[in-house]
């Protein structure tokens, strides 16, 4: 299915990452948005509130982030494509109901414009320390899909992807921006609507009395009914059977939860996205994402000038993590250097996948700014000296 | 070549819009890469207001100013805060009625203009001071072609004010001989 | 052997006869989890009776519950039904309703769910006059988790977390809803099935935030901890102590431990709903550019 032209502002715009996220959402057919203002994500909500009346969308500023995430889940069951956007304290408040979206297999998109934490932290300054929270923040076992744009253009592109993946796998998808990308204004090219591919909702066509809300096929994703279609279905956040009825037993838990995880893991190759540069002869491979990926490239240029063989693995999707590729490369390099604005998150993931086959070094940053390329360079230098 | 530009002033002077116009002119109408960001938070509260524009032929990798090539100052506070980040041979442009630069380090090229006064007396509209400033900035630095700036102004200012703004731009541009 | 010597044949006959409300329920989920003499089922029965009375198109009715004994209601009625998280049925229902305004959206939940953890959503939905039919089963206690204090627990009442008697003033939910802007506010007890049915029938067709508080016995926990006797004793208490006062000033309807229960329809007014106000306001400001306006107009012309 192609994007509805009414929502697509085709042309070359000069936009910040927050607003590009909003444009991506509207282009992807988002027509319900609930949110609560929080820096540095608010520009996204503001643009949606301005644009929605003209495209038939409903914008509502809720009383808090818990209400916001829950409202978008409800709206998804009413048939809408939905999004909320937040940051820091707000994403923490949303965690319980991100779990609800996982459990009800509800397509929806959550954008988190990361700022410095913990707590109120650095409201107006950059951080990348919510990466593990995105993966593990809600209780229980699950898998998540998360994208990390490095520019406003990617904020637009990845938000559309996020909506598409949310529909394809019936799951919440996180767009994990950072304040720097969120607030940076740059050229954004919005293509014509008929070149934007939109994933339709997987609506069931089962007979009314035969529909089982959680019966699934080979790709492990059940077909969805939405309210008002006449199926009179039930869904619950409790562990449930094919009919959607609660069944609190080991047997049912084993039937349900491994599938929720597997529907992402089994299809990981369809979701995982990364850019790989100069890894063929590399001694050191830098791993980074978001704004840090851009800064890393400066350090890589520096290192190459000095004759160090450095490759680059830039994560476009952070979750699911490209485990296989990271493990493969580990066999032939001396070290990984992970560059992120936190004190070690994806670092541990890389270390886990490298599994001792090479060194894994971290170029950390506590937040509030981006790395000094010199600092990254020094870690690369160290990585190149590993025996 | 990468150029780092800082525009500073106080709230209400159109500092951010100026940044948008320069960035848009460079990236959309001159096919360069250009990012613009503004100071947020406590830093942006009160009177100080600033924007940074980075222009490069290549992709912009480092998202902030490290040593600015150009400082455009429309307030004393902004001037004092950012003059230190100017390169040794950087360009300082300021509004004489608003900024007293005192002793400026040797090597820095200094270009004063009475932008606000010109906007007021020649156009009767103080509000376009920032655009007068942009005209002057364009003439002095040639950082972005004049035509690109004109296009960017046309698509960034409110519809009914395009002529006024273009006049303001020319006024500033012509003030540099 | 059959209970109390009732002949097998009689039992077979009775149990093969479908209960009149069975078509409205998910009979494949019976038996339900509620204790006998619990008042939640009575409230469900009244809702179903209201559907019957109105001949409601049930395909267009959704029901949303939070977590709690009452929260299980969504699981037993044969509607599009959503059992969500504790305290959040109102925001969930808000999204559902706004995504498809053709739906009638009922929120059916407990007093703790709606007024403690979900209290903020409750007051804001009432303020917005969101078009939701909110039915609150008030048993003065947290049933599901074993009888702890709720924001509705009357002063001096004993719960498992107020073993010496509650020393916190409770909410009067009707007063709260009314003060925040609800279009319709009523209170009945589980004894008043006919009046409750009537109230439900009224709110099902009334736009805006409609709130019905149903005072119900929790015989297992609240009654036991407070020595209020059996479920039947509580019904008798309702019978003897209810004062029906339509139009009563909501502020004057506080519930006091051991005191009278003022019931009735307290508020029935017609503020515009959230969506009506949006449509009207944005239509005025944006004119032709307001997309929903065009769609709504188009629908009117057909
Ligand atoms: C976030 C969260 N906190 C606590 C709980 C535990 N919990 C489940 S039901 C409930 C209270 C229910 O009381 P009420 O809403 O009055 O409903 P009732 O069981 O009395 O019908 C609580 C505290 C929960 N499920 N989720
Ligand atoms: S514990 Fe109380 S509220 Fe819960 S089912 Fe039993 S009687 Fe009803």
């Amino acid at each position: 299915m192609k994007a509805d032209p009414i929502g697509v502002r085709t042309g070359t715009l000069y936009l910040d990452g927050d607003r590009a996220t909003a444009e991506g959402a509207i282009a992807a057919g988002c027509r319900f948005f609930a949110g609560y203002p929080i820096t540095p994500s608010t520009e996204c909500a503001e643009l949606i509130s301005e644009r929605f009346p003209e495209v038939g969308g409903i914008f509502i500023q809720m009383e808090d982030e818990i209400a916001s995430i829950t409202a978008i889940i409800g709206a998804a069951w009413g048939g809408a494509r939905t999004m909320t956007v937040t940051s820091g304290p707000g994403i923490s408040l949303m965690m319980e109901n991100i779990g609800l979206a996982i459990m009800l297999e509800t397509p929806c998109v959550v954008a988190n414009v990361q700022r410095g934490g913990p707590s109120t932290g650095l409201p107006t300054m950059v951080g990348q320390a919510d990466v593990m929270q995105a993966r593990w923040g809600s209780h229980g076992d699950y898998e998540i899909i998360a994208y990390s744009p490095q520019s406003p253009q990617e904020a637009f592109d990845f938000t559309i992807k996020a909506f598409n993946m949310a529909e394809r796998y019936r799951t919440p998808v996180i767009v994990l921006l950072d304040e720097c990308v969120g607030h940076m204004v740059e050229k954004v090219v919005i293509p014509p609507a008929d070149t934007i591919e939109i994933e339709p909702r997987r609506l069931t066509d089962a007979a009314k009395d035969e529909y089982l809300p959680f019966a699934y096929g080979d790709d492990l994703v059940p077909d969805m009914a939405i309210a008002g279609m006449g199926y009179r279905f039930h869904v619950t956040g409790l562990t449930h059977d094919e009919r959607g009825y609660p069944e609190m037993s080991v047997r049912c838990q084993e039937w349900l939860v491994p599938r929720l995880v597997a529907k992402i893991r089994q299809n990981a190759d369809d979701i995982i996205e990364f850019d790989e540069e100069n890894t063929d002869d590399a001694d050191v491979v830098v791993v980074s994402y978001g704004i840090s990926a851009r800064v890393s490239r400066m350090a890589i240029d520096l290192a190459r000038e000095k004759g160090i063989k450095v490759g680059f693995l830039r994560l476009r999707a952070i979750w699911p993590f490209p485990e296989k590729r990271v493990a493969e490369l580990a066999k032939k390099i001396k070290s990984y250097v992970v560059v992120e604005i936190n004190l070690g998150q994806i670092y541990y993931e890389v270390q886990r996948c490298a599994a001792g086959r090479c060194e894994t070094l971290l170029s950390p940053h506590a937040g509030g700014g981006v790395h000094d390329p010199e600092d990254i360079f020094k870690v690369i230098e160290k990585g190149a000296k590993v025996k | 070549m990468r150029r780092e530009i800082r525009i500073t002033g106080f709230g209400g002077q159109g500092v951010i819009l100026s940044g948008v116009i320069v960035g848009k002119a460079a990236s959309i109408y001159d096919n360069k890469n250009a990012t613009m960001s503004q100071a947020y938070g406590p830093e942006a509260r009160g009177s100080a207001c600033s924007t940074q524009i980075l222009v490069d032929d290549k992709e912009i990798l480092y998202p902030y100013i490290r040593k600015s090539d150009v400082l455009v100052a429309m307030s004393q506070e902004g001037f004092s805060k950012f003059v230190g980040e100017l390169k040794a041979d950087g360009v300082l442009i300021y509004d004489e009625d608003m900024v007293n630069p005192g002793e400026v380090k040797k090597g820095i090229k200094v270009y004063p203009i009475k932008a606000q006064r010109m906007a007021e007396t020649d156009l009767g509209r103080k509000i376009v001071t920032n655009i007068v400033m942009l005209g002057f900035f364009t003439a002095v630095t040639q950082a972005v072609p004049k035509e690109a700036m004109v296009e960017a102004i046309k698509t960034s200012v409110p519809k009914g004010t395009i002529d006024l703004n273009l006049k303001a731009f020319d006024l500033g541009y012509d003030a540099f001989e | 052997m059959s209970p109390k010597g009732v002949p097998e044949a009689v039992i077979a006959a009775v149990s093969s006869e479908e209960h009149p409300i069975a078509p409205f329920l998910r009979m494949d989920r019976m038996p339900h989890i509620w204790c006998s003499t619990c008042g939640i089922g009575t409230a469900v029965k009244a809702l179903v009776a209201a559907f019957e009375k109105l001949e409601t198109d049930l395909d267009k009715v959704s029901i949303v519950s939070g977590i709690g004994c009452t929260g299980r209601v969504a699981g037993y009625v044969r509607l599009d039904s959503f059992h969500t998280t504790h305290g959040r049925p109102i925001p969930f229902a808000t999204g559902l309703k706004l995504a498809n305004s053709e739906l009638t959206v009922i929120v059916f939940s407990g007093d703790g769910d709606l007024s403690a953890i979900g209290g903020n959503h409750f007051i804001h939905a009432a303020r917005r006059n969101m078009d939701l039919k909110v039915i609150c089963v008030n048993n003065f206690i947290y049933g599901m988790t074993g009888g702890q204090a709720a924001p509705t627990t009357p002063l001096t009442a004993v719960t498992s977390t107020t073993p010496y008697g509650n020393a916190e003033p409770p909410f009067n939910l009707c007063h709260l809803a009314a003060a925040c802007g609800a279009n319709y506010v009523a209170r009945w007890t589980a004894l008043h099935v006919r009046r409750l049915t009537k109230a439900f029938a009224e709110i099902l067709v009334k736009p805006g935030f409609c709130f019905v508080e149903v005072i119900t016995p929790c015989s297992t926990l609240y009654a036991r901890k407070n020595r209020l006797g059996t479920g039947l004793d509580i019904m008798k208490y309702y019978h003897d102590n209810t004062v029906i006062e339509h139009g009563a000033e909501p502020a004057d309807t506080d519930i006091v431990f051991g005191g009278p229960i003022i019931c009735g329809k307290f508020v029935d007014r017609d503020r515009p709903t959230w969506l009506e106000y949006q449509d009207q306001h944005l239509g005025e400001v944006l004119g032709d550019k307001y997309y929903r306006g065009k769609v709504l107009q188009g629908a009117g012309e057909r």
Side-chain angles (χ1 to χ4, degrees):
Chain A
M1 172 173 123
K2 302 294 180 194
D4 180 352
I6 191 179
V8 184
R9 253 171 95 188
T10 304
T12 304
L13 307 180
Y14 198 54
L15 283 182
D16 61 42
D18 282 3
R19 290 185 175 88
T21 302
E23 289 296 346
I26 300 168
C30 177
R31 292 296 181 271
F32 182 88
F33 180 100
Y36 190 81
I38 186 166
T39 307
S41 74
T42 307
E43 287 83 350
C44 178
E46 286 171 344
L47 184 61
I48 298 240
S49 73
E50 186 184 326
R51 294 258 288 127
F52 258 17
E54 293 176 14
V55 303
I58 288 192
F59 169 92
I60 182 166
Q61 181 173 319
M62 297 300 285
E63 51 276 16
D64 59 29
E65 288 84 352
I66 302 176
S68 302
I69 177 80
T70 316
I72 72 161
I73 299 168
W77 283 99
R81 282 165 196 272
T82 69
M83 180 172 82
T84 185
V85 59
T86 189
S87 182
I91 194 74
S92 291
L93 283 180
M94 287 186 184
M95 280 302 156
E96 182 196 7
N97 288 287
I98 287 177
L100 179 69
I102 297 269
M103 197 65 152
L104 302 189
E105 302 190 53
T106 309
C108 57
V109 174
V110 178
N112 173 11
V113 189
Q114 296 170 94
R115 63 192 227 180
S119 190
T120 312
L122 299 169
T124 59
M125 298 162 94
V126 66
Q128 291 184 320
D130 306 346
V131 177
M132 280 297 167
Q133 183 199 37
R135 172 67 186 84
W136 301 104
S138 198
H139 56 282
D141 273 316
Y142 63 96
E143 283 279 342
I144 197 86
I145 301 175
Y147 291 97
S148 174
Q150 62 168 356
S151 63
Q153 180 68 55
E154 285 190 351
F156 176 85
D157 297 339
F158 289 3
T159 301
I160 294 177
K161 262 183 216 291
F163 273 90
N164 285 344
M165 288 298 166
E167 296 295 344
R168 188 175 300 169
Y169 296 110
R170 276 191 64 182
T171 189
V173 176
I174 297 178
V175 184
L176 206 52
L177 298 103
D178 50 63
E179 184 275 340
C180 192
V181 170
H183 275 165
M184 170 196 283
V185 185
E186 205 170 23
K187 182 159 83 180
V188 175
V189 179
I190 299 185
D194 61 10
T195 64
I196 301 176
E197 207 48 62
I198 300 294
E199 188 101 4
R201 183 151 296 179
R202 309 177 53 128
L203 288 181
T204 178
D205 55 8
K208 294 270 153 69
D209 46 2
E210 281 167 19
Y211 176 57
L212 290 168
F214 294 97
Y216 56 87
D218 289 342
D219 67 355
L220 308 183
V221 186
D223 288 339
M224 192 169 173
I226 55 174
M229 285 171 77
Y231 284 98
R232 305 236 218 133
F233 59 88
H234 179 63
V235 293
T236 173
L238 289 166
T239 294
H240 46 266
D241 62 17
E242 272 189 332
R243 298 169 298 174
Y245 293 175
E247 190 195 316
M248 280 149 287
S249 67
V250 174
R251 195 194 62 79
C252 195
Q253 180 81 353
E254 276 178 346
W255 173 82
L256 176 64
V257 182
R259 176 182 63 79
L260 292 181
V261 167
K263 77 174 175 182
I264 306 296
R265 287 194 189 159
Q266 172 182 304
N267 296 301
D269 288 342
D270 177 45
I271 308 164
I272 286 171
E273 275 194 42
F274 54 84
D275 292 334
E276 202 176 310
E277 290 162 25
N278 302 319
T279 49
D280 284 349
D281 65 343
D283 288 329
V284 180
V285 168
V286 172
V287 180
S288 194
Y289 52 89
I291 193 60
S292 300
R294 287 173 80 154
V295 180
S296 294
R297 234 175 258 126
M298 294 177 76
I300 291 171
D301 289 348
L302 255 154
R304 293 207 147 244
E305 275 167 27
K306 300 249 159 86
I308 303 174
K309 290 184 197 151
V310 196
F312 192 29
L313 195 70
R314 202 264 292 192
L315 308 177
R316 293 157 65 87
I318 297 195
W319 305 115
F321 190 73
E323 300 177 343
K324 270 190 279 180
R325 190 57 190 149
V326 172
E328 262 165 35
L329 285 173
K331 287 184 216 153
K332 40 184 223 184
I333 63 174
K334 289 182 181 169
S335 62
Y336 277 118
V337 170
V338 182
V339 184
E340 50 188 346
I341 306 175
N342 60 51
L343 304 180
Q345 296 200 9
I346 286 299
Y347 165 68
Y348 290 108
E349 196 66 5
V350 172
Q351 199 177 49
R352 175 179 71 81
C353 298
R357 287 181 285 251
C358 73
E359 284 290 318
T360 304
L361 305 177
L362 172 67
S363 179
H365 192 301
V370 299
H371 289 73
D372 183 338
E374 283 288 339
D375 292 343
I376 304 173
F377 170 72
K378 281 180 204 144
V379 185
I380 294 175
E381 242 184 345
K382 213 165 118 194
K385 286 188 192 131
V386 167
K387 288 281 153 344
Chain B
M1 195 186 63
R2 177 176 163 116
R3 292 190 94 156
E4 307 192 342
I5 302 159
R6 168 89 62 184
I7 303 176
T8 178
F10 44 78
Q13 279 181 322
V15 169
I16 307 304
L17 178 65
S18 304
V20 168
I21 290 170
V22 176
K24 209 185 208 183
S27 72
I28 298 183
Y29 302 108
D30 191 30
N31 266 319
K32 297 247 172 51
N33 292 296
T35 66
M36 186 293 263
S37 37
Q38 52 182 299
Y40 278 89
E43 205 188 325
R45 297 289 174 267
S47 53
C49 181
S50 94
T51 163
Q52 39 184 309
I53 307 107
L54 312 172
V55 184
D56 204 334
D57 306 308
K58 296 184 298 189
E59 187 188 353
I60 288 161
L61 298 180
Y62 193 81
Y64 301 122
I65 285 183
R66 303 221 274 176
K67 277 277 170 199
S68 57
D69 297 277
V70 182
L71 171 63
V72 179
M74 296 197 279
S75 78
Q76 187 68 36
E77 193 184 339
F79 167 80
S80 308
K81 191 163 174 187
F82 295 111
V83 69
E85 71 179 18
L86 256 179
K87 277 185 187 152
D89 61 347
V91 171
L92 168 65
I93 296 170
Y94 67 94
D95 191 315
E96 281 179 81
D97 291 332
M98 243 106 50
V99 177
N100 174 7
E103 283 280 308
V104 176
K105 272 198 218 121
K106 252 181 55 197
I108 291 181
K109 289 168 270 200
V110 182
Y111 300 91
I113 179 178
K114 294 188 166 74
Q116 179 165 315
R117 204 176 307 178
M118 289 162 73
E120 263 176 327
T121 52
D122 296 9
L123 300 168
R125 301 297 301 277
K126 194 167 118 182
I127 190 145
V128 291
T129 303
N130 61 334
I131 307 293
V132 176
M133 217 52 183
L134 284 186
F136 190 62
F137 155 85
T138 308
V140 170
T141 64
Q142 299 294 328
V144 190
K146 186 178 178 191
E147 304 70 45
M149 288 293 287
V150 167
E151 286 309 309
I153 290 171
K154 285 191 199 158
T155 56
S156 305
V157 301
K159 286 256 157 50
T161 68
I162 294 180
D163 283 348
L164 173 68
N165 279 287
L166 291 180
K167 269 194 207 133
F169 182 80
D170 285 338
L171 196 63
Y173 195 87
D174 296 339
F176 179 69
E177 59 286 331
Chain C
M1 185 52 203
S2 57
K4 294 189 188 142
V6 179
E8 299 279 359
V10 172
I11 287 184
V14 169
S15 51
S16 71
E17 197 177 300
E18 200 181 42
H19 192 282
I21 74 166
F24 296 90
L25 300 181
R26 298 186 190 280
M27 294 309 287
D28 50 352
R29 289 215 51 213
M30 297 298 146
H32 57 67
I33 65 157
W34 296 315
C35 313
S36 62
T37 78
C38 173
I40 298 171
T42 315
V44 174
K45 168 80 182 13
L47 178 64
V48 166
F51 289 148
E52 274 189 301
K53 192 163 150 184
L54 296 176
E55 295 177 20
T56 310
D57 175 2
L58 295 178
D59 284 353
K60 300 292 174 201
V61 180
S62 284
I63 189 160
V64 185
S65 292
I67 302 295
C69 294
T70 316
R72 292 305 186 91
V73 167
Y76 296 130
V77 283
R78 225 165 62 76
L79 300 170
D80 290 333
S81 52
F82 302 90
H83 183 221
T84 63
T85 43
H86 192 31
R88 317 304 166 197
I90 286 180
F92 189 103
T94 297
L96 188 61
K97 173 69 192 180
L98 293 179
N100 182 356
S101 52
E102 271 186 21
L103 302 174
T104 298
V105 180
I106 300 168
V107 170
F108 206 128
S109 219
D111 51 289
D113 189 79
L114 290 173
S115 76
I117 190 166
N120 200 30
H121 310 311
F122 180 80
I123 61 177
H124 286 280
R127 169 179 68 81
R128 296 182 180 113
N129 201 21
M130 194 55 71
D131 193 0
L132 302 176
K133 318 300 149 206
V134 180
I135 298 168
C136 177
V137 167
N138 183 0
N139 50 21
F140 307 117
I141 207 161
Y142 285 8
M144 178 59 93
T145 42
Q148 299 79 22
T152 49
T153 305
L155 279 170
T156 74
V158 173
T159 72
S160 70
T161 49
T162 56
Y164 310 108
N166 177 34
E168 271 186 24
F171 268 144
N172 171 344
L173 296 179
C174 286
H175 184 196
L176 187 63
C180 294
N183 250 2
Y184 182 107
V185 177
R187 176 191 289 149
W188 297 104
T189 78
L191 181 73
H192 300 91
V193 180
R194 264 195 7 259
R195 298 187 191 254
L196 199 55
T197 304
K198 181 156 175 279
F200 289 161
E202 283 175 7
I203 65 171
L204 282 173
V205 296
K206 185 170 178 74
F209 190 90
C210 298
F211 178 69
V212 178
E213 178 180 18
V214 190
I215 306 294
T216 59
C218 168
S219 38
T220 308
L221 296 164
Y222 188 72
R224 189 165 50 76
K225 285 180 196 299
N226 288 287
R227 303 177 191 287
L228 302 177
T230 63
L232 196 62
D233 292 327
I234 296 174
M235 286 297 191
K236 195 163 167 329
Y237 181 86
Y238 293 163
H239 180 265
D240 297 343
N241 292 277
T242 295
V243 181
I244 295 178
E245 210 181 315
H246 292 297
E249 176 57 42
D252 300 334
T253 64
D254 287 1
I255 293 171
V256 175
F257 191 75
I261 302 170
I262 301 171
C263 287
K265 178 161 74 176
F266 304 143
V267 175
D268 191 349
R269 60 189 162 195
D270 294 300
R271 293 173 65 218
T273 68
W274 187 88
L275 198 55
E276 283 167 356
Y277 201 84
Q278 294 284 314
D279 284 341
Q280 184 205 324
H281 179 71
L282 293 173
E284 269 169 35
V285 175
L286 296 173
D288 271 359
K289 278 161 81 187
Y290 186 49
Y291 185 96
R292 273 183 54 83
K294 279 183 282 191
V295 173
L296 293 174
Q297 229 170 28
E301 279 157 18
R302 257 187 276 122

